[in-house]
Amino acid sequence: MQLLHAIGIADAPDREEFITDVLAADWACYAAPEDKVDEPRLRAVINAFPDGFRLYLKGNKPVGYTGWYPIARAIFDRLHDAPQTLTHRGQIMPLPGLSRGGDYLYLFNYSIIPALHKTPESKAMIQDFARVVRVAPHRGLAAVTVSPDGARVAEKFGMTRRGEMTHDGAPEDVYALRLY
């Protein structure tokens, strides 16, 4: 079995190709149109905070990706305390950089194609993501989940379900953990 290979934007030969491959991975991971990221939003988020994204390849094929970015406290507070006031994931925009003292982090995505669910590859991807997030200084974590698998991963990060938001009219669960 060929293991996954992870690359960040700094390791990618071309930024546009990296973004296109992340988009391909996202669309291969989700069946429902409302669960898939839209290209303009993905481009905006990666361009705003590229260091938080890793693409996972099996051979040369994109099979999954992870992404996180820092968010303003006001956005985190809405996710944590009033998720029902959010009507689109696009309202959760990144800060341009990570402050030394730590920020609130939004776990934008952690997904792998369905054929690799519950495999050593998916476990390795989540462990890699956890290592990356753990070393980033942060005051709290938040995530929006669209599946039971996503909810389980959010709980492994210590987050609890805070309520529900909508995205393009579809309900989605919001998880968060406030450290301080």
Side-chain angles (χ1 to χ4, degrees):
M1 178 190 302
Q2 190 174 20
L3 296 178
L4 294 183
H5 174 68
I7 63 168
I9 203 161
D11 302 320
D14 177 75
R15 178 181 286 247
E16 287 303 311
E17 184 178 328
F18 179 83
I19 293 171
T20 299
D21 286 347
V22 169
L23 184 66
D26 186 277
W27 289 5
C29 290
Y30 299 105
E34 65 272 10
D35 294 344
K36 297 176 181 187
V37 70
D38 63 85
E39 185 175 0
R41 180 166 169 258
L42 181 67
R43 285 186 181 286
V45 168
I46 291 177
N47 283 321
F49 193 78
D51 293 341
F53 288 80
R54 290 171 70 88
L55 176 66
Y56 294 83
L57 306 166
K58 191 159 186 172
N60 290 328
K61 181 182 176 188
V63 295
Y65 78 104
T66 59
W68 65 272
Y69 53 79
I71 58 174
R73 181 181 182 146
I75 294 172
F76 178 82
D77 287 345
R78 283 181 74 187
L79 287 159
H80 190 274
D81 302 325
Q84 71 282 0
T85 66
L86 296 164
T87 57
H88 194 278
R89 285 184 239 133
Q91 294 171 281
I92 310 166
M93 291 306 295
L95 294 172
L98 190 59
S99 68
R100 212 178 269 184
D103 294 296
Y104 296 94
L105 304 182
Y106 177 63
L107 305 188
F108 178 84
N109 189 75
Y110 41 87
S111 62
I112 197 162
I113 60 172
L116 293 177
H117 284 192
K118 297 181 170 112
T119 64
E121 289 90 349
S122 65
K123 183 178 180 181
M125 183 188 78
I126 294 301
Q127 287 174 338
D128 184 47
F129 189 42
R131 276 191 300 276
V132 169
V133 170
R134 189 174 28 252
V135 299
H138 59 278
R139 298 169 181 255
L141 302 171
V144 174
T145 66
V146 299
S147 71
D149 289 332
R152 277 192 295 280
V153 172
E155 289 169 351
K156 286 181 181 181
F157 276 88
M159 292 180 269
T160 58
R161 186 177 183 281
R162 305 303 302 172
E164 203 173 80
M165 66 169 282
T166 58
H167 176 74
D168 289 344
E172 298 182 340
D173 290 325
V174 176
Y175 284 76
L177 167 68
R178 184 186 307 275
L179 297 173
Y180 56 95

